[in-house]
Amino acid sequence: MIPGFAVSVLTPDGSEQTIDIPDIATLIVGRDPSCHVVLPSPAVSRIHLRVERGSDGLRIVDQSANGTILGDELVLGGAEMTLPLDGEIRVGPYVLRITRLSTVAEDVGPTPELRRRIHRSLLDHLDLSSLGDADMGADVLRPRVLRALEQIVSQLEPELPATADKERLVLEMADEALGLGPLQELLEDDTVSEIMVVDPNTIYVERHGRIRLTPLRFTDDESCRAAIERIVTPLGRRIDESTPLVDARLEDGSRVNAIIPPLATRGPCITIRRFARRPLQMDELVALGSLS
């Protein structure tokens, strides 16, 4: 189990965002979209710096053209420095505070291959497409799918990790077969303001202005793409190889952006920006400093 990093980013406009990035030994910061922390500024190099865990703290290795500022010291490309506790570094117009995450929960779920086997077994038990064509209501269809999955998971129990949550697995597979997979529970969570599927195995959420990597994941690219199609098709939109990008708005006003290969190189990805169901009241706007 590898602890990760917590990164607080102060942007040029004065806003602050905190990102938790678990399960990595080295943190990469830069302008390139492949970096763990992306800082979109011409003053930031594509790969600006990397952060490594050392026995005496965090070690910053600058790899930029413009350098990194720690305190009053400018560190140029290739040089290393130790980041003191609660220390700040300046990268272009951004100020970063980087700390270590103490613990990260282990992934004890079934492997993607085992999840695919469960899904194939479900298709053998139930013809989901014909059930849907029969206009069977969700109140009838979902219980049938859940019962079938309970039998399948019970049969495969010897192959599951000892600490696997079988009830949760059944619910996750049902959501993937009938709904939006791991997005289902996130969309039902009013505290989630943004959902970011970077690839089928990497899903971030924003809660109260704080971005966190979730343990949720899709079984594979196909299940992620199926969820995207379930979102955009009722909106009268389509997404395929000839139209690999779609922007849409859900009935509740949430904005959706989805991209699939060949435009998305790491697999299907989707971003859902949600809006608060309850508008802020006057006293809340005053407390937040929006009004005085």
Side-chain angles (χ1 to χ4, degrees):
M1 182 170 60
I2 304 174
F5 300 86
V7 184
S8 175
V9 181
L10 183 64
T11 63
D13 63 5
S15 62
E16 187 170 1
Q17 190 175 63
T18 301
I19 310 171
D20 288 350
I21 309 172
D23 260 347
I24 59 170
T26 301
L27 176 75
I28 306 298
V29 178
R31 192 177 73 246
D32 192 271
S34 65
C35 295
H36 298 110
V37 178
V38 181
L39 305 177
S41 168
V44 178
S45 297
R46 292 181 64 84
I47 305 296
H48 198 98
L49 62 88
R50 69 177 190 269
V51 183
E52 301 172 347
R53 299 167 64 90
S55 58
D56 55 347
L58 297 178
R59 186 167 63 252
I60 310 295
V61 182
D62 183 87
Q63 299 179 256
S64 70
N66 299 328
T68 301
I69 298 175
L70 172 60
D72 297 327
E73 181 181 359
L74 174 63
V75 181
L76 295 174
E80 299 184 9
M81 55 186 170
T82 299
L83 181 65
L85 186 65
D86 296 329
E88 295 182 347
I89 59 174
R90 180 172 291 277
V91 179
Y94 300 89
V95 176
L96 275 62
R97 301 184 189 93
I98 305 173
T99 57
R100 292 184 287 190
L101 289 176
S102 55
T103 58
V104 177
E106 288 185 276
D107 181 11
V108 294
T111 64
E113 177 55 34
L114 187 54
R115 292 176 69 99
R116 282 191 286 268
R117 285 177 56 194
I118 294 172
H119 186 72
R120 287 195 296 267
S121 296
L122 177 63
L123 295 179
D124 291 339
H125 278 72
L126 299 171
D127 185 349
L128 296 180
S129 60
S130 65
L131 290 174
D133 292 340
D135 292 328
M136 183 178 295
D139 56 338
V140 176
L141 178 56
R142 187 173 178 86
R144 291 185 60 178
V145 170
L146 288 172
R147 285 195 297 270
L149 284 169
E150 287 169 355
Q151 295 176 7
I152 295 167
V153 170
S154 178
Q155 293 169 359
L156 294 175
E157 185 171 358
E159 301 181 49
L160 294 174
T163 54
D165 186 337
K166 294 184 287 295
E167 291 184 6
R168 180 175 178 82
L169 175 60
V170 167
L171 294 175
E172 288 177 352
M173 296 304 298
D175 285 341
E176 197 162 279
L178 300 174
L180 303 178
L183 302 184
Q184 196 75 40
E185 65 176 271
L186 298 178
L187 289 170
E188 294 170 358
D189 186 345
D190 290 342
T191 67
V192 173
S193 56
E194 187 163 1
I195 303 168
M196 295 151 279
V197 181
V198 179
D199 58 46
N201 294 316
T202 311
I203 302 177
Y204 289 89
V205 296
E206 181 183 57
R207 287 187 177 94
H208 310 298
R210 190 179 180 90
I211 296 177
R212 293 181 180 273
L213 178 65
T214 75
L216 303 174
R217 62 188 60 184
F218 286 93
T219 296
D220 49 29
D221 285 9
E222 288 73 20
S223 61
C224 184
R225 179 163 172 173
I228 292 174
E229 291 177 349
R230 288 191 180 112
I231 290 174
V232 303
T233 299
L235 304 176
R237 309 296 295 273
R238 73 169 192 172
I239 187 166
D240 52 34
E241 284 74 12
S242 63
T243 311
L245 183 150
V246 64
D247 287 299
R249 189 177 292 271
L250 301 181
E251 290 184 359
D252 65 356
S254 299
R255 296 196 302 266
V256 178
N257 174 268
I259 310 174
I260 63 171
L263 198 57
T265 58
R266 293 174 55 179
C269 57
I270 182 170
T271 301
I272 302 176
R273 182 65 181 174
R274 307 176 70 201
F275 297 94
R277 296 186 180 182
R278 184 183 68 84
L280 292 174
Q281 304 301 309
M282 293 295 291
D283 57 339
E284 294 172 314
L285 291 171
V286 172
L288 291 170
S290 300
L291 293 177
S292 59

